[in-house]
Each structure stands twice: as C-alpha cells, then as structure tokens.
Amino acid sequence: MNGNLKKSVICGIIANMLVLANFPANSQEFHPGEVWSDTDGKPINAHGGGILFRKGVYYWYGEFKTGKTYLPDCNKSWGGTRVDTVGVSCYSSTNLADWKNEGIVLSAVTDDPQSDLHKSKVLERPKVIYNKVTKQFVMWMHIDSTSYAAACSGVAVSDTPTGPFKYLGSFRPDAGVWPENVTDTDKDPAKSNPLARDFKDGQMARDMTVFVDDDGKAYQFYSSEENPTMHVSLLTDDYLRPAGKYNRIFIGRSMEAPAVFKHAGKYYLIASGCTAWAPNAARSAVAYNILGPWTELGNPCDGADADTTFHSQSTFVLPVQGRSDTFIFMADRWKQWDLPDSRYVWLPLEFNENGKLVLRWHDHWSLNTRPMIGQTVGVPTQL
C-alpha cells in the first residue's frame, strides 16, 4: 500500500470512529414533523435538501425559506405558492442531532431580474456532491422561472463545504442527445412528444437529485418531459455537465422528488407522485444497473397515513456513516400557505424479508433504537 493510499485509509477509519463516538448510548431522539432548532435555538431552515458527509462531518444543504408566502398569478391553476428566493443554506453536524448554522452558501441576487438567482426565480432541491479528482464541492439544483416553464438545472462549485459557492449557470440537460433506450416512436416530432420537441435545446429538468456511485461516477435524476417521465443521466468526470449518456425511466408515471441510494449492490429510489404541494403515496423502485431497467416496488409506507407518506414528500435518503446498513429517509412536510414553517420528517428506512423498502411512522426514535435490517420491521432492537 503506497503512502498516500495508506494515509487516506487511516483518515477514513478515524473519521468513522469519530462519527461512532458521537452517537452516545442515549442518543438524542428525532421527532418527525416537530420544529427542529439549530445550536443557536433557531428553527433549521433547509427545505428540499440533501446531506453530504465529509471528514467526519455531515453538511445539510437546503432551500432557505423566509418572508411572506404568496401565489403568483401564473401559478393559480395548480396552487403554486412560493416565497422570494433567498438562497441555499448549510448546517453542519457530527451526530445528526445537533446542527450548527453555517449560513447562506449560495445567495440570491436582488438587483438583476435576468439572473437565474434573482429572488423572483425558482431555486429548489439543492444537492451537493464532492469530486475527489477536482477537489471541488459541486452543487446541483433545479433552476426555474416563476411559472416553472424554464425547467433547467443549475450548477455551482466551492473549494470548501461551507462555501461560498460560485454559480456557473443553468442549462437543460442532454441537448442534442437521444437516450440510450430511445425508440423510433420516441423520435417522432409530434407536438405531443416533448422528448423530440426538446431534443435540440435540452430536456426539461425539474425536481432532481444527484448520486455518486462506488466507482466515482455521478448521475443526475430529474423529472422531465413535462413531468410524466424521469431521466437518469451520467455526469462528466468533473460533475459539472451531462456526459451525453442517459435513459428514460418510469415512463408515463409522473414521479418527482427523487431520492436515490445503494444497498447490497442494488440501487433504490423513493419518489412521489406529482400533486403540487399536496402529499401523496410514495413510490419505490429497485435496479441492478443505475441506468435501468427499474422495477417498481410500490408504496414503502405502512400504517396510518401511508397514502400521504405521513403528510410529507421525499427529498433524500441518508446512509449513516459508521452504521452498517443504516439509512434515514428524509422528507419535507410542506405548508402550502406558510412555506417557511414547513417541517422535516426523518424516519428509519428498513427492508422486509422480501427485500422491499418499508417506512413506518414513529412519534420519536433514535439511531440506537431503530430496527435492524433483516429484523421484523417495527420492533425496536437495541444496537
């Protein structure tokens, strides 16, 4: 083992030991749906977010929502309320319970209405991944016009996890490229075919997430073609653009809010239906190849309010470092008419004996009392 590799392995072991050390026997409990305050005593403000783990620290990025909730005229047909965009917030933690506010790491623009980041525009579902080759932290996000007609992806970079991030611009992914699983019918330039309509200028991209595989390859999942179909797209080695290889998945299923993770060599996805701010039954799926084919597994939620995903919508699935096969389902409980008061729903994610995902409601729970994978779901087992 060469010196650099040995040093990297040792650092990784130490980082995981530090994480484990910060999960005491009586670990602080999670209380899904309740107000969650940061270390300054203020409500955590990181909606539609995701988490990056780096050198023993978790970084939670999300939409910072504040101010008055209003309904633009262009969105009245579907109830698309919003608040003026402020930017992307970041919080840090070593134990997933106590979160320090690191501030706004990508700020909105107030003096240029043409800017993607102007307060009147849409910035949603920011996700940050780390590129080991370029040593950059790369943020992907959904960038849109107030009416959601632009349907673009935005990218920003930083040399540190707490920013500030430099915005590089927006685009529609995969311009001039057909998906790997395209058919002749898909290429029909009929007005009712958004895939062919948008071939030249790039595909529509709304709700999205990004995922880094074990081999360092990164992928973007995004709702496309006016939202009925999702795309999964390989990114370039620097994670800054699409690499020109993608597939259409969940064709005609109208899925958004994707959250992707990997377990036991298989890829899993949890998403929602498209019902604006109203919660709906979650969807889940599995694949042996990240580009597909994907097989749907049904609604992972079980028990009361399963048909509304416990009144929430997926945003991320977090693998807990130092805890083998431990995953946390992260979701938002949106408040349509008071968006800044939207809450967070974090629940333990399990697998049943048939290998399907299972989510059950817990008024409170901790990492030390979650059921173990392979155990009967719903029966707490001390780790």
Side-chain angles (χ1 to χ4, degrees), residues 209 221 256-261 268-271 314-317 329-330:
T209 194
F221 288 72
E256 62 181 13
V260 179
F261 69 104
Y268 290 88
L269 176 143
I270 298 178
S314 52
T315 186
F316 197 75
V317 171
F329 170 73
M330 296 171 50

Side-chain angles (χ1 to χ4, degrees), residues 198-372:
D198 298 330
F199 172 77
K200 181 180 178 181
D201 296 324
Q203 299 299 321
M204 301 179 78
R206 292 193 175 119
D207 274 17
M208 55 127 284
T209 194
V210 284
F211 172 80
V212 179
D213 208 346
D214 300 332
D215 60 2
K217 297 292 186 182
Y219 300 83
Q220 182 195 19
F221 288 72
Y222 59 92
S223 300
S224 192
E225 302 178 34
E226 304 288 357
N227 283 8
T229 298
M230 190 172 289
H231 293 179
V232 53
S233 178
L234 174 69
L235 302 183
T236 52
D237 289 343
D238 57 13
Y239 301 170
L240 301 183
R241 301 285 297 192
K245 180 178 181 179
Y246 72 105
N247 268 350
R248 304 171 75 218
I249 59 176
F250 309 118
I251 297 171
R253 294 288 288 131
S254 296
M255 295 166 66
E256 62 181 13
V260 179
F261 69 104
K262 192 174 185 179
H263 167 63
K266 292 183 285 189
Y267 303 91
Y268 290 88
L269 176 143
I270 298 178
S272 77
C274 297
T275 54
W277 294 120
N280 55 63
R283 323 274 185 86
S284 63
V286 64
Y288 288 94
N289 186 316
I290 196 167
L291 292 173
W294 286 80
T295 300
E296 290 198 50
L297 300 174
N299 183 0
C301 300
D302 181 49
D305 298 318
D307 59 342
T308 63
T309 315
F310 313 115
H311 303 284
S312 71
Q313 184 186 40
S314 52
T315 186
F316 197 75
V317 171
L318 173 65
V320 178
Q321 300 296 316
R323 293 286 186 111
S324 177
D325 297 332
T326 301
F327 301 91
I328 298 175
F329 170 73
M330 296 171 50
D332 294 279
R333 180 172 287 175
W334 300 112
K335 290 192 175 183
Q336 180 181 9
W337 298 103
D338 187 4
L339 289 172
D341 192 36
S342 298
R343 308 290 175 80
Y344 313 105
V345 172
W346 286 25
L347 293 170
L349 178 61
E350 304 298 330
F351 295 78
N352 67 15
E353 60 275 13
N354 297 318
K356 291 187 177 181
L357 306 179
V358 179
L359 286 167
R360 287 186 177 175
W361 178 259
H362 300 267
D363 289 332
H364 53 87
W365 65 282
S366 79
L367 285 166
N368 290 343
T369 57
R370 72 166 186 88
M372 294 173 61

Side-chain angles (χ1 to χ4, degrees), residues 1-307:
M1 183 181 292
N2 65 48
N4 289 335
L5 181 57
K6 184 177 181 180
K7 181 179 178 181
S8 176
V9 171
I10 292 174
C11 287
I13 293 173
I14 292 174
N16 281 336
M17 290 175 64
L18 289 172
V19 172
L20 284 171
N22 281 301
F23 290 133
N26 297 314
S27 177
Q28 181 174 327
E29 291 185 327
F30 299 102
H31 293 263
E34 296 187 12
V35 174
W36 193 351
S37 297
D38 62 21
T39 53
D40 293 326
K42 298 179 179 179
I44 294 173
N45 197 331
H47 308 279
I51 291 181
L52 170 74
F53 180 79
R54 180 69 179 162
K55 293 185 177 179
V57 180
Y58 295 92
Y59 296 94
W60 179 359
Y61 303 89
E63 307 160 28
F64 189 91
K65 292 186 179 296
T66 189
K68 181 181 178 180
T69 301
Y70 61 94
L71 178 61
D73 289 341
C74 57
N75 293 342
K76 284 185 176 180
S77 64
W78 58 279
T81 55
R82 57 168 286 118
V83 293
D84 285 347
T85 296
V86 174
V88 177
S89 57
C90 176
Y91 293 80
S92 63
S93 175
T94 57
N95 61 12
L96 295 177
D98 305 302
W99 292 92
K100 176 187 175 183
N101 185 0
E102 300 287 356
I104 303 297
V105 295
L106 178 67
S107 298
V109 172
T110 59
D111 58 356
D112 181 7
Q114 302 305 312
S115 170
D116 285 347
L117 302 183
H118 188 258
K119 63 180 182 178
S120 66
K121 303 293 179 65
V122 171
L123 190 167
E124 294 179 338
R125 301 192 174 274
K127 304 293 186 290
V128 175
I129 51 181
Y130 178 69
N131 190 297
K132 294 180 180 179
V133 176
T134 65
K135 312 291 186 190
Q136 285 191 314
F137 295 86
V138 184
M139 179 188 296
W140 281 71
M141 69 212 87
H142 169 205
I143 292 292
D144 225 319
S145 55
T146 304
S147 65
Y148 286 82
C152 292
S153 296
V155 177
V157 296
S158 174
D159 293 329
T160 66
T162 55
F165 280 76
K166 178 184 178 182
Y167 186 65
L168 301 182
S170 69
F171 51 85
R172 283 193 170 185
D174 299 305
V177 180
W178 292 114
E180 298 277 298
N181 57 350
V182 70
T183 67
D184 289 340
T185 301
D186 297 332
K187 296 181 179 181
D188 185 350
K191 290 184 179 180
S192 60
N193 182 2
L195 177 74
R197 178 198 66 195
D198 298 330
F199 172 77
K200 181 180 178 181
D201 296 324
Q203 299 299 321
M204 301 179 78
R206 292 193 175 119
D207 274 17
M208 55 127 284
T209 194
V210 284
F211 172 80
V212 179
D213 208 346
D214 300 332
D215 60 2
K217 297 292 186 182
Y219 300 83
Q220 182 195 19
F221 288 72
Y222 59 92
S223 300
S224 192
E225 302 178 34
E226 304 288 357
N227 283 8
T229 298
M230 190 172 289
H231 293 179
V232 53
S233 178
L234 174 69
L235 302 183
T236 52
D237 289 343
D238 57 13
Y239 301 170
L240 301 183
R241 301 285 297 192
K245 180 178 181 179
Y246 72 105
N247 268 350
R248 304 171 75 218
I249 59 176
F250 309 118
I251 297 171
R253 294 288 288 131
S254 296
M255 295 166 66
E256 62 181 13
V260 179
F261 69 104
K262 192 174 185 179
H263 167 63
K266 292 183 285 189
Y267 303 91
Y268 290 88
L269 176 143
I270 298 178
S272 77
C274 297
T275 54
W277 294 120
N280 55 63
R283 323 274 185 86
S284 63
V286 64
Y288 288 94
N289 186 316
I290 196 167
L291 292 173
W294 286 80
T295 300
E296 290 198 50
L297 300 174
N299 183 0
C301 300
D302 181 49
D305 298 318
D307 59 342

